[in-house]
Amino acid sequence: MKVFKGLSVLMISVLLIACAESEPTKLTNIKGLIPDLEFELSDENNKLVTAKGYLGSTVAVFFGFTSCPDICPTTMHQFASILKRVGEPAKSVKVLFVSVDPKRDSAEKLKKYTEIFGPAFIGLRGEDSTIKEMTKRYRVTFGYGDEDKEGNYEVSHSGAMFIFDVRGKARLLVTQGSSPENIVMDLHALLEETI
Amino acid sequence: MLAIEFFTPWELSPILVVFLLGLAFYYWQAMCVTAKGEKSAKYYWQVVSFYTGIVSIYLVSHTYLDYLSQYMFWVHRFQHLVLHHLAPLLIVLGGVGIIHKSLPEWLKNWKGLPAVVRLPFELSYKLIQHPIVAPVVFVGLIYLWLIPDIHFTAMLSQDLYYLMNWSMLLDGLLFWWLVLGPDWRGEAKGFAVRLIMLIVVVVPQQLLGAYLTLSGEVIYDVYEVCGRAWPVSPMVDQIYGGVITWIPASMMSVLGLVLVLRRRLNYQKREENEGI
């Protein structure tokens, strides 16, 4: 047991040093930490889509809901302007907005919502259990607050955006605290495959 | 929530199940040997204590509570309170004087093993159980896993999450075994060392708990990144987590102090009686 303990401490140090020195990204590098892109959901046109269909594109995944008052619209607007700043290479980027509130987010509602941000943004939805499975895969979660008289309720959800490369490998994590400059720089590098 | 939903493992861990079942089975065997040897003695509280410890590890590591621990800071602190303090203490209390009864023959004849096999184990055990090293590791692990960057990675990577929880559990078992284990019978020298170890670990835990509780800003953004199990203000989550690190964790040391004092008194009484 004691050997295991001693080894654990050593392993943590080694792992952390390895993480810190792997690749020079400004954002959190999640290569190897998070599993590859995988899902089977329906898109905003009610078509069944899978992760394989997006291979070849750099994909950003965000778990949100259209009635979200703050984090979702802010993040989407910020990312839309980042794609503009990256310019031509960003044309191959797809932003998948996965609804964690499929009860209220119909396909039509999702479509109207993502249209505001541009053609790169695609709304996805699925059964509650499918979404739960997908969020679990990426170690994120969501939960619902109590309904008020009008039937509205709060939703707790991840504020992060996971960026996958053209091969569907997890690469970067954009958090609420990430600066736009860093996102632009790393996204650029990822698109040009220099990181 | 239905009971079945609560008890369904969030992430199935066969190693944990085998480990806990193995411990439970082994203890049962040791208890049978003990009871056979001393038929008049009753061991109810030891059995309850040991199995409560085992069940509590299972509950916080392999049920819906494990899910909540990954997505709520305060539940995570509660999980570590159980893994590092409460469950190991209960297991040690229930196991002292009993678990050595059913050791396999080769372990009973440990001294007979070749030095090449024996020494590395003995030396590392001595090192980790050194009265200066053990409290440092005990508190150090709490601090290590709460360094924001490390906490972030541990919560995001399943492997590191397991490593974190296992390290807390094993260190808890080692520490409480050192403080309340059978190596010390109640003599004055061991008494002082054990009291000092328990006091030494209280202060840094209280400082950390107070820092988490009173810090005006959100320290752990991984719960923003991964989402919380239900809508709650990040500050409230952190304050609850801080209070759990601050108060119950230090109370466990106080409980340890009481147990050590009790053992010392019992030992003194016995000595006096024998003297008469």
Side-chain angles (χ1 to χ4, degrees), chain A residues 1-5 8 12 15-16 33-34 136 139-141 143-145 154 156-160 173 175, chain B residues 10-11 67 70-71 125 128 145 150 152 155-158 160 163 170-171 224-231:
Chain A
M1 260 189 332
K2 45 272 157 202
V3 172
F4 181 85
K5 243 235 77 306
S8 326
I12 301 159
L15 272 171
L16 291 169
L33 270 184
I34 298 284
K136 184 177 176 181
R139 297 188 77 73
V140 298
T141 194
Y144 305 121
E154 269 188 86
S156 60
H157 64 103
S158 158
L173 182 72
T175 66
Chain B
W10 173 244
E11 273 154 353
Y67 160 74
Q70 294 182 36
Y71 298 106
Y125 184 74
I128 204 89
W145 291 117
I150 296 181
F152 188 97
M155 284 298 175
L156 215 56
S157 151
Q158 195 177 16
L160 269 184
L163 182 64
L170 295 177
D171 180 61
E224 297 296 317
V225 169
C226 296
R228 285 185 165 81
W230 63 82

Side-chain angles (χ1 to χ4, degrees), chain B residues 207-221:
Chain B
L207 286 176
L208 182 63
Y211 173 68
L212 295 176
T213 310
L214 304 172
S215 161
E217 54 183 38
V218 178
I219 303 166
Y220 301 103
D221 57 349

Side-chain angles (χ1 to χ4, degrees), chain A residues 41-42 61-67 72 96-107 109-110 113-114 122-128 130-132 134-135 142 144 153 155 157:
Chain A
L41 297 165
S42 39
V61 176
F62 183 82
F63 298 96
F65 63 115
T66 62
S67 331
C72 307
L96 305 182
F97 182 90
V98 182
S99 170
V100 292
D101 188 16
K103 196 171 116 189
R104 284 189 291 187
D105 289 344
S106 62
K109 210 170 168 188
L110 273 171
Y113 185 77
T114 55
I122 300 157
L124 298 180
R125 63 191 299 283
E127 293 292 318
D128 204 45
T130 320
I131 302 291
K132 276 229 152 70
M134 183 176 177
T135 50
F142 58 95
Y144 305 121
Y153 48 87
V155 179
H157 64 103

Side-chain angles (χ1 to χ4, degrees), chain B residues 143-154 219-222:
Chain B
Y143 273 71
L144 176 78
W145 291 117
L146 283 174
I147 294 172
D149 283 350
I150 296 181
H151 192 75
F152 188 97
T153 324
I219 303 166
Y220 301 103
D221 57 349
V222 69

